[in-house]
Amino acid sequence: GGKRRQVKVIHGDKPQSERNKAMEDFKAQKVSLLVATDVAARGLDLSSIGLVIQSDPPRDIDTYTHRCGRTGRAGRSGEAVTLLDAKSGRLASGLVDLLTEAGQSDSIPSWLRGQATRSLEEDMKINAGSLATQVDSGSDDDVHNEEFSQQDFRRTAAEGSYGVGKDTSYRSFEDDAYSDDLDVDMSDIVSDENFDIDEQNLAGDQSSVEDDLVTSERMQPSEELLRAIADINGSTISGMPDKAVLNALSRRSQKLRFEYIGLFPFQDVSPLLMTSSAKDSKDDRIKILMVAEKPSIAKAIADSLSGKRGANQRRGISRALPVYEFTTDRFAPVNGQRCLVRVTSVVGHIYSLGFDFDSQNNKDQRTDPRDYFTLPVTKKEESTTSKLRVVDHLKALAGDSSHLVLWLDCDAEGENIAHEVIAVCRRAIFSKASSLGDDATRVHRAKFSAITPKALQDSFSSLEEPDPHLSKSVDARQELDLRIGVALTRLLTWKCVGIARQRFSSSTRMISYGPCQTPALSFCVDRLREIESFVPEIYWKIDLQAKLPDGNSYSLKWRVPTDDAVIDTRSKRGDGNEEGATFSHQSARELIERAKCADLIVKQVTQTSQSILPPNGLNTVALLEAGSKAMGMSPKTVMSVAEKLYSAGFISYPRTETTRYDPNGFDARSLLREHCSSAEWGKSASYLLRTRKTSKPPNRGKDCGDHPPITPLKAANRGNVGGGAAWRVYEYVVRNFLGSLHNDLQITRTKALLALSDSDEAEFEIELVTVDSLGFADACRWVLRDVGAVQGKVDKDLLQEGQRLKLVKAGIEEKKTMPPRFLQEHELIRLMDTNRIGTDASMAVHVSNIVDRGYVMLVDETGVALRPPRPPSERKNNLPRQIGRYMVPTPLGSNLLKLFGHEEDATEIESPALLSHPSIRRQMEQEVKEIAMENIEKDFCLEKNLDWFEKRYTELERSLTYERVGKFGQGLRSSNDYLRYLAKLGAFEPKINTPNKGKQTKQPQQKKHNGTKKRQNYNHKSKKGNMKGRTKNKAHRAPTKPF
């Protein structure tokens, strides 16, 4: 009950408020134990911490030093305990160096020395794959010294080579990724003989390391090690390491193995450690390195290509990236020779683009925003890539490989990642080819769109060459977005962020501009302008219902004269008018009076047959629209779920613009067989196999030359895919696929014209939609609702000319025209696709950005902010269901575009208002596409676009006067006040107050009081006292009837 809680936990997924509270309690010693991730590795200055335990060892000595530094502060002593495992070789090496430098080599245990050799083995492999690759623009000597150094701690390392300030720039990326000729002198290339491991070259190359690891005399082995060796060979430790003993200790205990290694000089034990490398050097099999985009895809590739024997899995330099090995003779480029294939992966982009401040000693904070148009840029290692050691991992595998096969995604972003892999591995691959005197193609590209054995095997048998021009187009887009976005963001933040914090939100960190983000925001603001300028008008809505011969009541449509018709301004439909609505009150009243004392006569009946085509193949934009419109999910969530389904092999690649199936290579029948046993849609799949020639898919849709449409690859139920959002996306993909192969939906529209019995003029009409053949609606049931099909069986001849029908309802309602609704996410996606704002891979991110950065808020149809998704166990049953995902610009978002002059007519080519105009981004995307098509050079595209944007920057900077920024601030207000203002304009649907189901009404509690006091109140002689007693007694009468 009253026991004090002793533990607090902080990590990156916890809200900042909870982390701050945990730190306050720990600092105040309300709790004695704090469990934390690396968020607590730096910046904690608490002198009271006496013990630090690192249960998960860090990957580098710098992080280790920072973690240990949380104790022993302010002149106090402290203890630090680190739990090492068998994979902590790199940290062990750093610890040995650190202790040796501190003069504490005598205290280094032999098992720690032995474990440090693991890092040396890795470095030798990495260096073999690095060759002449330069990571920065310094001198060759500097590169050599940094490349082979084992030390990365602050007292000895050069500035910028450790911690958060570490220079990860890759300034020779263009040469390594795109050059046809690496122009490497053969004298600088490490030959095959240099790769062979023997005692002589190890002793020479690792002399500095040997000095650290070798002691003048052998350390005393532990009793446990002596007993283990006695059990193995019945003797004691000999003068030289024994391979049999080493292998036996590896099976018994890794710690004993490391201790045994640490007892010997490095040059004596290294040949035993490198036997696998030596064996590889004598292996006559051609070695092939295959690289996929994700570990799961690498495993699928290995399983599909390795045959019945399967692939062996082993650990590489990176713990997160397994390596799968198998032997094959089906590698076409080498004409059936035996090959050793190694399959591994990256984790997305290896490098990102950033400004190269270090090259010119520039400081980011002091740079004029205009300078970002001209500052040098360079590729830099992604933080995740650096943490997982992806570059080292690839270099080590490329060191003795002769061929590189790239299995990255087959879109522009995938091609760019492929050339990042080429930049890391190419020098090693090409130097191997040069030493062999072989001019054959060494870098290959695998093109595939599905993670199925057949698709992967077909791709393996028809390898292509990488496309550098497509990759360069991505580089150009990245550089344009970086330069333009940073320059304008810095300018806007510099001028406006202070007043935004005061008037809008104190948490506003910056005012950003994005070449895709801002035009996307402009669509939402344009709709806001329509709403604010809308002037409501009064009109009258007629509601008439007639009873048909089948006994059911149907609504009638009043054929309003054109002059009095009301335009449907709410939904902005293409057909224009709202049904049964008029601006003439007199004609509406007269019609109702006549209808009350007359019947309806059927004057004319017409029937029209209609065929509705099935949907095309599913592309990315259609999937995002369906997810937002029908599933209630954000585009970013839909894309994330689809990518997980793709990685798990349930659907094909989800990023594509194509909606047409390949008439020659698409095998629909094999996919349909997968789904015949499904309880959900098995009948539809079986019907297609029996009755339709699905061997040749329908010739509809658009072929954009990228991936084929999104299709399901294997059958699954709700439990297989994980339920929830994953199941909804998977179900839609399957149903759209089945529908696209199906027959047309056949319907009959029966339209009857009716007149009141006191007139011959047909003033009303009624339409019944009956289904003749379900066709694709058998799988896509939602289509029946869209076409207005009547539920149940309805006779086509239900209505006949001359029939007399009874009116069962005749009403009139006064209304006001409503402004258009705000854009929903799926409508914004469609507008972005039409105007070429972003790509199918980035549109969902841009939509998410304008929400996350506070320029747009997501609300339902009543104007209430959307609640974040919660697990079913945490959902409250009494909360009303939220309908719609409407994008309402915040005061910050709408006033930001005013700074550009967006409300003005941006027709002049020199106007800053064009910065937010969609046509500019569309033109930029077209020119970037021309790079991929080899019509223009990358440098020309960059120069032309940057010159135009720099001129607009100058004009915008000149226009941001003190008065204009002040006006920007005056337009800011809280989002809640803004929503109330928009509700008064009629921008949202009215809220319907419904009783909360299951909510108990709290009964008023009766106060217990002294009976004497109660009697005194009633017996009080004053009128006031008497009334007080009666009032009090009345208040205590609680209702006894249950609700």
Side-chain angles (χ1 to χ4, degrees):
K3 194 173 182 179
R4 185 179 64 177
R5 188 178 181 186
Q6 298 291 320
V7 180
K8 288 282 186 176
V9 179
I10 62 172
H11 52 76
D13 292 334
K14 276 185 171 291
Q16 187 65 43
S17 58
E18 292 186 23
R19 284 188 269 172
N20 292 341
K21 181 64 168 60
M23 289 305 306
E24 290 172 4
D25 292 346
F26 187 61
K27 186 180 293 187
Q29 299 186 7
K30 294 181 180 179
V31 295
S32 56
L33 182 62
L34 181 69
V35 180
T37 59
D38 262 345
V39 297
R42 301 168 187 259
L44 260 67
D45 190 10
L46 301 177
S47 59
S48 59
I49 299 177
L51 174 64
V52 172
I53 301 176
Q54 301 188 58
S55 59
D56 184 20
R59 289 183 171 86
D60 59 88
I61 193 67
D62 185 50
T63 304
Y64 169 85
T65 305
H66 277 290
R67 289 182 181 180
C68 293
R70 297 313 97 204
T71 186
R73 304 180 75 85
R76 301 189 181 188
S77 62
E79 296 183 11
V81 178
T82 303
L83 307 180
L84 300 180
D85 57 19
K87 300 177 181 179
S88 305
R90 183 158 293 272
L91 179 61
S93 176
L95 281 171
V96 169
D97 290 340
L98 192 62
L99 292 170
T100 302
E101 184 184 273
Q104 301 180 31
S105 56
D106 294 341
S107 63
I108 303 175
S110 56
W111 62 263
L112 185 61
R113 293 182 181 276
Q115 190 171 11
T117 60
R118 188 183 190 101
S119 173
L120 303 179
E121 179 184 359
E122 289 181 355
D123 286 330
M124 294 180 67
K125 293 180 180 179
I126 295 168
N127 295 332
S130 298
L131 294 177
T133 304
Q134 296 184 9
V135 181
D136 55 34
S137 60
S139 66
D140 293 341
D141 293 338
D142 293 339
V143 174
H144 178 83
N145 292 335
E146 290 188 11
E147 193 72 46
F148 286 83
S149 174
Q150 293 303 309
Q151 300 187 6
D152 190 24
F153 25 88
R154 291 163 291 178
R155 286 175 293 178
T156 57
E159 183 180 356
S161 64
Y162 62 88
V164 294
K166 184 176 179 180
D167 184 13
T168 58
S169 302
Y170 188 179
R171 301 182 180 96
S172 61
F173 176 81
E174 289 277 337
D175 293 334
D176 291 337
Y178 300 122
S179 293
D180 295 329
D181 182 10
L182 291 177
D183 195 23
V184 180
D185 193 335
M186 287 299 296
S187 62
D188 296 332
I189 296 177
V190 182
S191 64
D192 280 351
E193 286 73 15
N194 295 113
F195 285 113
D196 293 337
I197 309 298
D198 56 34
E199 296 183 27
Q200 285 74 24
N201 61 34
L202 280 172
D205 293 340
Q206 302 293 337
S207 58
S208 62
V209 179
E210 178 186 337
D211 292 339
D212 291 338
L213 292 179
V214 179
T215 55
S216 58
E217 57 183 41
R218 179 184 296 172
M219 299 183 65
Q220 280 296 112
S222 65
E223 291 294 330
E224 185 181 3
L225 178 60
L226 291 174
R227 288 196 301 269
I229 294 177
D231 292 341
I232 293 171
N233 58 13
S235 62
T236 59
I237 301 175
S238 59
M240 292 294 291
D242 189 327
K243 178 65 176 176
V245 173
L246 188 61
N247 291 339
L249 289 175
S250 299
R251 293 189 293 270
R252 177 173 294 198
S253 168
Q254 286 291 335
K255 181 182 178 182
L256 292 179
R257 175 179 178 272
F258 290 139
E259 183 181 355
Y260 183 73
I261 293 172
L263 296 176
F264 300 96
F266 180 76
Q267 72 269 20
D268 291 341
V269 76
S270 56
L272 302 183
L273 300 176
M274 302 298 179
T275 52
S276 60
S277 299
K279 186 185 298 182
D280 288 345
S281 65
K282 298 174 183 177
D283 193 345
D284 61 351
R285 292 176 296 178
I286 297 175
K287 297 176 182 62
I288 303 168
L289 173 60
M290 296 185 175
V291 182
E293 192 158 327
K294 298 175 183 176
S296 58
I297 299 176
K299 184 178 187 306
I301 292 170
D303 292 342
S304 301
L305 303 183
S306 58
K308 295 181 180 179
R309 297 185 62 181
N312 298 320
Q313 179 179 343
R314 70 173 179 85
R315 177 182 174 271
I317 298 294
S318 174
R319 302 182 190 179
L321 306 175
V323 180
Y324 303 93
E325 293 184 340
F326 61 91
T327 301
T328 184
D329 57 2
R330 295 187 294 110
F331 186 53
V334 297
N335 300 320
Q337 299 181 54
R338 292 181 74 249
C339 303
L340 175 63
V341 179
R342 295 172 179 145
V343 188
T344 189
S345 71
V346 292
V347 283
H349 276 284
I350 302 175
Y351 301 103
S352 59
L353 196 66
F355 290 102
D356 192 5
F357 296 104
D358 298 319
S359 67
Q360 296 185 354
N361 296 320
N362 293 311
K363 296 298 182 183
D364 190 13
Q365 292 80 2
R366 301 178 185 176
T367 302
D368 187 336
R370 184 195 301 276
D371 294 340
Y372 287 103
F373 286 105
T374 55
L375 278 174
V377 294
T378 183
K379 293 280 188 178
K380 297 188 177 185
E381 252 188 283
E382 289 272 6
S383 58
T384 302
T385 296
S386 180
K387 183 177 181 180
L388 299 181
R389 303 184 63 196
V390 174
V391 173
D392 290 346
H393 180 80
L394 294 177
K395 284 180 178 179
L397 292 171
D400 62 345
S401 298
S402 302
H403 289 265
L404 175 64
V405 183
L406 302 161
W407 291 83
L408 288 306
D409 291 340
C410 301
D411 57 5
E413 291 293 329
E415 198 67 38
N416 193 247
I417 299 173
H419 280 78
E420 292 174 357
V421 176
I422 292 173
V424 173
C425 305
R426 189 172 184 177
R427 287 181 176 266
I429 298 290
F430 272 64
S431 64
K432 184 81 170 179
S434 300
S435 64
L436 296 174
D438 188 358
D439 294 332
T441 301
R442 295 286 171 167
V443 180
H444 314 273
R445 187 73 164 93
K447 298 292 184 72
F448 63 100
S449 59
I451 313 294
T452 61
K454 185 178 185 306
L456 297 175
Q457 290 164 8
D458 290 345
S459 178
F460 184 54
S461 62
S462 57
L463 298 174
E464 303 176 12
E465 292 189 17
D467 185 353
H469 299 285
L470 182 59
S471 179
K472 286 181 179 180
S473 71
V474 177
D475 287 339
R477 184 186 294 112
Q478 290 176 352
E479 185 168 347
L480 287 171
D481 289 349
L482 176 70
R483 291 185 181 280
I484 297 166
V486 173
L488 288 168
T489 296
R490 286 295 178 94
L491 173 64
L492 293 169
T493 302
W494 172 36
K495 295 281 189 178
C496 306
V497 74
I499 197 167
R501 287 174 180 162
Q502 295 176 9
R503 303 295 301 271
F504 179 68
S505 172
S506 59
S507 62
T508 304
R509 297 177 55 194
M510 63 178 180
I511 309 295
S512 65
Y513 174 89
C516 285
Q517 162 199 301
T518 306
L521 173 62
S522 72
F523 292 121
C524 302
V525 174
D526 287 342
R527 181 59 60 88
L528 172 64
R529 298 285 176 262
E530 292 183 50
I531 294 172
E532 290 183 323
S533 61
F534 183 82
V535 179
E537 297 180 82
I538 297 176
Y539 72 95
W540 285 265
K541 174 91 171 176
I542 300 297
D543 184 13
L544 297 173
Q545 291 186 10
K547 191 171 186 179
L548 270 58
D550 63 354
N552 294 319
S553 297
Y554 293 86
S555 295
L556 303 180
K557 179 181 177 182
W558 179 28
R559 305 177 73 187
V560 184
T562 306
D563 294 341
D564 295 331
V566 178
I567 298 175
D568 184 8
T569 56
R570 190 62 161 171
S571 60
K572 295 179 72 71
R573 295 183 307 182
D575 54 6
N577 296 340
E578 184 172 348
E579 293 184 358
T582 179
F583 286 115
S584 174
H585 185 208
Q586 181 179 357
S587 59
R589 176 57 58 189
E590 290 176 354
L591 181 68
I592 292 297
E593 294 299 328
R594 290 171 51 212
K596 289 180 179 179
C597 41
D599 292 334
L600 288 170
I601 307 296
V602 179
K603 292 293 185 180
Q604 181 183 354
V605 179
T606 58
Q607 291 187 344
T608 307
S609 297
Q610 183 181 358
S611 293
I612 300 177
L613 290 174
N616 294 325
L618 185 64
N619 65 2
T620 304
V621 171
L623 178 62
L624 296 180
E625 287 187 80
S628 177
K629 184 178 180 180
M631 305 177 208
M633 298 160 58
S634 70
K636 188 176 181 180
T637 302
V638 174
M639 205 68 251
S640 175
V641 170
E643 287 177 341
K644 290 179 182 177
L645 291 173
Y646 163 67
S647 297
F650 289 110
I651 65 174
S652 63
Y653 190 62
R655 297 187 186 275
T656 178
E657 297 180 17
T658 297
T659 59
R660 179 184 177 185
Y661 298 113
D662 184 359
N664 300 317
F666 181 66
D667 185 7
R669 297 187 68 84
S670 62
L671 294 179
L672 289 171
R673 291 190 194 99
E674 283 279 334
H675 296 275
C676 286
S677 58
S678 171
E680 302 281 346
W681 45 74
K683 291 183 179 179
S684 294
S686 300
Y687 172 81
L688 287 172
L689 280 174
R690 288 195 316 268
T691 61
R692 186 171 176 80
K693 295 180 180 179
T694 49
S695 56
K696 190 172 183 180
N699 188 22
R700 295 191 309 273
K702 180 177 63 173
D703 185 358
C704 297
D706 54 351
H707 288 277
I710 307 168
T711 56
L713 300 180
K714 60 183 179 182
N717 55 37
R718 191 183 297 268
N720 297 141
V721 300
W727 171 252
R728 295 200 299 274
V729 173
Y730 175 76
E731 181 183 21
Y732 181 79
V733 171
V734 175
R735 291 190 178 278
N736 190 91
F737 165 68
L738 295 176
S740 66
L741 300 177
H742 230 300
N743 303 314
D744 296 353
L745 167 62
Q746 303 286 345
I747 62 174
T748 297
R749 296 185 180 274
T750 303
K751 186 175 181 180
L753 300 181
L754 304 96
L756 291 172
S757 56
D758 62 357
S759 172
D760 291 332
E761 181 183 358
E763 298 177 89
F764 308 97
E765 64 181 49
I766 186 171
E767 184 178 67
L768 303 178
V769 179
T770 55
V771 177
D772 301 325
S773 175
L774 272 176
F776 73 91
D778 183 48
C780 308
R781 290 283 176 172
W782 58 84
V783 179
L784 299 177
R785 181 180 64 252
D786 295 342
V787 300
V790 179
Q791 295 183 356
K793 292 185 178 180
V794 177
D795 187 2
K796 288 183 182 180
D797 301 325
L798 183 64
L799 294 172
Q800 301 288 335
E801 290 186 14
Q803 278 182 333
R804 202 175 188 91
L805 305 177
K806 283 283 187 183
L807 275 170
V808 295
K809 184 178 181 181
I812 183 173
E813 182 181 3
E814 180 180 331
K815 289 190 171 186
K816 284 185 178 181
T817 54
M818 303 284 284
R821 294 187 179 93
F822 283 101
L823 289 178
Q824 294 200 64
E825 284 174 320
H826 66 272
E827 296 172 314
L828 178 58
I829 288 287
R830 176 56 60 186
L831 286 170
M832 293 175 67
D833 181 56
T834 303
N835 290 272
R836 310 305 299 168
I837 306 298
T839 64
D840 55 357
S842 63
M843 275 189 279
V845 176
H846 299 316
V847 174
S848 176
N849 282 344
I850 61 176
V851 176
D852 295 340
R853 294 173 182 176
Y855 304 130
V856 165
M857 46 189 163
L858 285 171
V859 303
D860 62 11
E861 63 177 7
T862 64
V864 177
L866 290 182
R867 298 184 293 270
R870 295 182 178 180
S873 58
E874 299 181 12
R875 293 174 188 165
K876 298 181 179 180
N877 296 328
N878 59 335
L879 291 177
R881 178 171 174 260
Q882 294 186 296
I883 300 173
R885 299 180 63 86
Y886 294 91
M887 307 194 72
V888 179
T890 62
L892 180 63
S894 59
N895 283 278
L896 171 61
L897 290 197
K898 287 183 180 179
L899 288 176
F900 299 117
H902 182 74
E903 73 279 1
E904 303 167 4
D905 187 13
T907 56
E908 298 182 5
I909 196 66
E910 303 299 325
S911 170
L914 287 172
L915 288 170
S916 61
H917 202 276
S919 62
I920 301 303
R921 181 66 191 193
R922 182 168 62 245
Q923 179 181 341
M924 184 193 299
E925 286 288 346
Q926 181 59 41
E927 292 180 358
V928 167
K929 192 175 181 180
E930 293 293 318
I931 299 175
M933 299 171 65
E934 305 181 50
N935 293 333
I936 62 174
E937 293 293 329
K938 172 188 168 185
D939 291 340
F940 173 79
C941 176
L942 291 174
E943 183 180 355
K944 177 184 176 182
N945 283 277
L946 290 176
D947 180 66
W948 187 91
F949 273 96
E950 189 172 4
K951 290 177 180 177
R952 303 293 82 72
Y953 171 94
T954 303
E955 295 159 5
L956 178 64
E957 184 180 28
R958 192 183 305 122
S959 68
L960 292 179
T961 60
Y962 181 81
E963 292 76 12
R964 186 157 190 175
V965 173
K967 189 175 181 181
F968 162 78
Q970 291 174 5
L972 300 179
R973 63 176 107 171
S974 73
S975 296
N976 290 333
D977 290 344
Y978 198 54
L979 287 176
R980 285 190 286 269
Y981 157 72
L982 293 173
K984 292 179 180 179
L985 296 180
F988 307 118
E989 299 297 325
K991 297 179 182 179
I992 301 176
N993 296 322
T994 56
N996 294 330
K997 296 181 180 180
K999 187 175 181 181
Q1000 296 291 332
T1001 302
K1002 191 174 181 180
Q1003 304 289 342
Q1005 295 181 357
Q1006 296 186 12
K1007 293 183 180 179
K1008 294 181 180 180
H1009 35 109
N1010 191 293
T1012 307
K1013 187 175 181 180
K1014 181 178 180 181
R1015 185 182 300 274
Q1016 287 175 352
N1017 285 337
Y1018 275 104
N1019 293 335
H1020 203 280
K1021 291 186 179 181
S1022 69
K1023 186 174 181 180
K1024 180 177 180 181
N1026 196 18
M1027 290 300 294
K1028 180 180 178 182
R1030 290 183 183 180
T1031 305
K1032 192 170 186 178
N1033 188 39
K1034 183 177 181 181
H1036 288 163
R1037 292 175 187 168
T1040 57
K1041 226 175 187 182
F1043 287 96

